[in-house]
Amino acid sequence: GGTSGGGGQGVSETGDTGPVVVDADDDGFDADEDCDDANPLAFPGAVERCDGVDEDCDTVVDNDVCPCATTDFEGVRYAFCTDEERWSDARDVCLGAGMDLVSIHVQPENDFVEDTIGGSDGDWYIGLTDQAVEGDFTWTTGEAIDFEAWNGGEPNNSGDEDCVEISGRSGNWNDVACSSKMRFVCEALP
C-alpha cells in the first residue's frame, strides 16, 4: 500500500519527529515505492498502456499490451503491426497507442522501415494519403512531404487508390485502395 499525500502538496509528515514522506505525483505511493514519482500514471499495480513506459513498476515496459512489435530508430518509437487492417482502422490502432501511421522524411528512415519489414511477403500501410484532394498527397500528421520513394509509374490512382503502402521487398511506395487489408507501421507522435 502507498502513503497518501496530504493537502494536495504531495508531502505529509508522519509525526512531529517522524520522517517526511514524499509523493511528488500524488498517486498514493511515496518515492521509495513508486518507480517514477514524477508520473502520476506510474505506480505499483497501475494499468499498463502501450506507450513505452513501465506504468505498473514491474521493470517490464508495456507488458504485452502493445498489439504491435515496437522498436526505436534515432530516438523515435515505431510499431510494426502484423494484424491486417483497412487503412482507416490501421490509423485508429496507431492513434489509440499515442502514435500515427508512419511519416517518412529521409532515406535512412525509409531504409529502417524497409529493413524492419524486409523480406516480408506483402506490403505495409504508411501515413500518406490523397483522400482529401486527388493527387495531393499529405501525411496524416500534417508534416511536409520532403521525401518520396515511389515505385516507377506511381502514384497512378488505378481504381481509386488514395492510400499508400511501402514494399517490404524494395522500400518503394505504391498508392492502393484504402479498403485493402494489410499490415501497417506506426510512429510515435512528437
Side-chain angles (χ1 to χ4, degrees):
T3 303
S4 295
Q9 299 297 312
V11 177
S12 65
E13 293 187 22
T14 58
D16 291 338
T17 59
V20 173
V21 177
V22 177
D23 179 15
D25 59 10
D26 280 332
D27 62 6
F29 292 87
D30 66 46
D32 291 335
E33 299 171 304
D34 202 336
C35 58
D36 184 352
D37 206 32
N39 181 353
L41 298 177
F43 54 86
V47 174
E48 193 74 46
R49 298 178 306 147
C50 181
D51 60 1
V53 176
D54 176 24
E55 279 94 2
D56 64 3
C57 299
D58 68 353
T59 71
V60 179
V61 174
D62 294 339
N63 295 50
D64 299 322
V65 296
C66 294
C68 314
T70 60
T71 189
D72 291 349
F73 174 70
E74 295 187 358
V76 177
R77 174 135 318 202
Y78 294 79
F80 295 84
C81 305
T82 56
D83 288 345
E84 294 186 355
E85 301 285 353
R86 290 178 180 86
W87 188 89
S88 62
D89 295 333
R91 185 167 190 226
D92 287 345
V93 169
C94 294
L95 291 171
M99 305 175 113
D100 204 339
L101 286 168
V102 65
S103 57
I104 300 173
H105 298 282
V106 292
Q107 186 67 52
E109 184 179 21
N110 199 72
D111 292 345
F112 159 74
V113 172
E114 177 195 0
D115 290 347
T116 304
I117 64 175
S120 64
D121 291 329
D123 301 307
W124 299 61
Y125 278 128
I126 61 175
L128 197 59
T129 180
D130 71 346
Q131 288 176 310
V133 177
E134 183 58 43
D136 183 12
F137 285 88
T138 58
W139 290 115
T140 54
T141 58
E143 296 168 285
I145 297 176
D146 46 11
F147 172 81
E148 296 177 329
W150 294 107
N151 272 326
E154 300 294 344
N156 63 8
N157 196 40
S158 175
D160 195 28
E161 299 176 325
D162 293 328
C163 295
V164 178
E165 65 187 2
I166 183 171
S167 168
R169 292 171 301 283
S170 68
N172 291 333
W173 306 349
N174 174 50
D175 58 334
V176 295
C178 300
S179 60
S180 299
K181 285 190 165 188
M182 65 180 67
R183 295 168 284 189
F184 53 99
V185 182
C186 307
E187 178 180 12
L189 295 170

